[in-house]
Amino acid sequence: MSDPKTTGRPRTLDTGNLAPLESWLARSVDARTLAITAAELLPGGAVGENWKLDVAVDGGAKAGTHTWVLRTDAAARIGVSLDRADEYAVLRAAAMAGVRVPEPIARAEEADIIGAPFMILGFVGGTAQARRIVRDPGLATFGPDLAEELGRQLARIHTIEPPADLPFLAVPERRAARDIVGDLRGLLDQCSDPRPALEWVLRWLELNAPEARRITLVHGDFRTGNFMIDGARLTAILDWEFAHWGDPIEDLGWFTARCWRFGNDALEAGGIAPLGALLDGYNAVSAEPVSEREISYWQILAAARWAAIAVLQGERHRSGREPSLELQLTGLMAPEMELDAIDDIRRLVARSE
């Protein structure tokens, strides 16, 4: 992911006219006055833009100086992602469940303040750069503990069940996996080129879809690169724009799929640790323990989902709607994901014979 200035996207926030945002923020935190002393566009932003704001607050519970993050939609959104107002509500629900997330501060559902809906979160220090994390020289020492903590965090996310105060999230039928396969077919229908290998994988997933044991909140993009660490310490779970109700094992399959190990293929838990470390943390908190075998189907679905998203990203570029080298290169990744899914199906079928 890269800065909009390198992808041709216009910036959402006009740093030359911050007065409307300052006035709105002052009202939102009950301050007498509020000044934004610096605004910096952070790296990332295929789905959302993230701006680091240094603010000085006079009066109210937030009096003092702070570093916050303004998160808003990028110029072109993926249709299945939440907008910032809904993502903010999910963050609040996660925070109430004890999940380690940036502090939710305020949200604006209207577009007239900066030109798009947005939310304000507390700034969290550390790094989320996946390739830097999986190549850290100290990974062998801290990786298992980090994976165990991530497992505990996932289990806390999965304590949130309908009817939590998230009415914008549709509750799926019991065959949550089959619902996802249907959604992926819908994504492919938006693309101009046929994908026979991916269609074959989707058909296998449809025929072998497990029943969901229960329906919980699912992060939807829980992977290395979407959590922040400071040294060896987990500081926050990030990027909740794909949150939905579903089978909790979906998150475990996504996190452990080969496509999110960033070259550390032997470390199945996100390229940072063996799978057992993740499950030790998860099963220590979850009321319903999960086995390694149960995750296999969801790893195949994860590869198929990432393949479909990659195809859609490439289509955004090829259609001329959003010319971008980043999107073009993402589109070229689809065959690798298709091969991952087919190889995983072959291995799973071989183990079952």
Side-chain angles (χ1 to χ4, degrees), residues 8-25:
R9 291 198 303 262
R11 297 185 179 193
T12 301
L13 185 64
D14 179 6
T15 54
N17 181 25
L18 294 173
L21 177 59
E22 291 172 328
S23 297
W24 179 88
L25 272 174

Side-chain angles (χ1 to χ4, degrees), residues 172-227:
E173 298 178 0
R174 293 297 293 172
R175 295 193 70 86
R178 183 168 290 176
D179 291 343
I180 296 171
V181 173
D183 290 342
L184 295 180
R185 289 190 187 280
L187 287 180
L188 290 183
D189 288 344
Q190 301 175 34
C191 301
S192 56
D193 289 343
R195 307 293 307 192
L198 185 51
E199 292 285 358
W200 183 88
V201 170
L202 292 178
R203 180 58 176 161
W204 185 92
L205 288 165
E206 184 177 45
L207 292 174
N208 293 275
E211 295 284 352
R213 294 186 298 175
R214 60 193 178 106
I215 299 297
T216 72
L217 185 68
V218 172
H219 180 281
D221 198 13
F222 193 96
R223 61 176 177 84
T224 305
N226 279 345
F227 58 80

Side-chain angles (χ1 to χ4, degrees), residues 219-253:
H219 180 281
D221 198 13
F222 193 96
R223 61 176 177 84
T224 305
N226 279 345
F227 58 80
M228 187 83 72
I229 66 169
D230 187 359
R233 184 176 63 90
L234 178 72
T235 54
I237 309 297
L238 308 174
D239 294 348
W240 293 73
E241 64 264 16
F242 294 110
H244 57 277
W245 299 123
D247 189 319
I249 306 181
E250 179 189 341
D251 273 336
L252 290 162

Side-chain angles (χ1 to χ4, degrees), residues 145-164:
D145 289 341
L146 175 60
E148 191 170 334
E149 177 58 28
L150 287 165
R152 288 191 287 268
Q153 293 294 315
L154 258 184
R156 292 190 185 105
I157 294 170
H158 298 159
T159 63
I160 305 170
E161 299 180 342

Side-chain angles (χ1 to χ4, degrees), residues 3-331:
D3 188 317
K5 66 188 178 187
T6 67
T7 61
R9 291 198 303 262
R11 297 185 179 193
T12 301
L13 185 64
D14 179 6
T15 54
N17 181 25
L18 294 173
L21 177 59
E22 291 172 328
S23 297
W24 179 88
L25 272 174
R27 294 193 300 272
S28 298
V29 298
D30 295 323
R32 285 188 293 272
T33 60
L34 182 148
I36 298 173
T37 57
E40 174 190 356
L41 182 62
L42 297 173
V47 175
E49 284 182 18
N50 299 295
W51 291 83
K52 179 182 176 183
L53 306 178
D54 292 336
V55 298
V57 182
D58 179 23
K62 296 290 186 183
T65 58
H66 305 276
T67 300
W68 293 342
V69 172
L70 182 150
R71 181 166 169 79
T72 187
D73 289 331
R77 290 178 55 229
I78 298 175
V80 295
S81 64
L82 300 178
D83 63 24
R84 299 294 72 84
D86 290 346
E87 186 183 1
Y88 182 87
V90 171
L91 270 167
R92 285 179 58 88
M96 291 177 63
V99 181
R100 204 167 298 171
V101 295
E103 178 192 4
I105 296 170
R107 69 175 178 184
E109 298 185 36
E110 61 272 23
D112 57 349
I113 300 168
I114 67 168
F118 63 91
M119 61 180 174
I120 303 293
L121 306 172
F123 178 80
V124 179
T127 182
Q129 295 180 27
R131 287 177 176 81
R132 177 177 171 184
I133 292 171
V134 302
R135 288 165 176 75
D136 192 301
L139 186 65
T141 300
F142 72 78
D145 289 341
L146 175 60
E148 191 170 334
E149 177 58 28
L150 287 165
R152 288 191 287 268
Q153 293 294 315
L154 258 184
R156 292 190 185 105
I157 294 170
H158 298 159
T159 63
I160 305 170
E161 299 180 342
D165 188 20
L166 302 169
F168 48 86
L169 298 182
V171 181
E173 298 178 0
R174 293 297 293 172
R175 295 193 70 86
R178 183 168 290 176
D179 291 343
I180 296 171
V181 173
D183 290 342
L184 295 180
R185 289 190 187 280
L187 287 180
L188 290 183
D189 288 344
Q190 301 175 34
C191 301
S192 56
D193 289 343
R195 307 293 307 192
L198 185 51
E199 292 285 358
W200 183 88
V201 170
L202 292 178
R203 180 58 176 161
W204 185 92
L205 288 165
E206 184 177 45
L207 292 174
N208 293 275
E211 295 284 352
R213 294 186 298 175
R214 60 193 178 106
I215 299 297
T216 72
L217 185 68
V218 172
H219 180 281
D221 198 13
F222 193 96
R223 61 176 177 84
T224 305
N226 279 345
F227 58 80
M228 187 83 72
I229 66 169
D230 187 359
R233 184 176 63 90
L234 178 72
T235 54
I237 309 297
L238 308 174
D239 294 348
W240 293 73
E241 64 264 16
F242 294 110
H244 57 277
W245 299 123
D247 189 319
I249 306 181
E250 179 189 341
D251 273 336
L252 290 162
W254 186 252
F255 181 68
T256 60
R258 192 186 74 84
C259 51
W260 299 123
R261 299 175 203 165
F262 297 93
N264 272 5
D265 290 355
L267 299 179
E268 201 169 355
I272 61 173
L275 178 57
L278 177 74
L279 290 182
D280 284 347
Y282 188 88
N283 291 336
V285 175
S286 175
E288 294 189 23
V290 174
S291 69
E292 292 189 14
R293 184 171 181 81
E294 289 177 276
I295 297 175
S296 297
Y297 172 92
W298 293 93
Q299 290 176 330
I300 297 167
L301 183 51
R305 178 184 164 207
W306 182 213
I309 292 172
V311 170
L312 186 63
Q313 298 286 65
E315 186 77 7
R316 285 166 60 186
H317 167 80
R318 293 195 306 116
S319 67
R321 296 193 306 271
E322 189 180 347
S324 161
L325 178 60
E326 177 190 6
L327 295 178
Q328 183 182 25
L329 293 175
T330 301

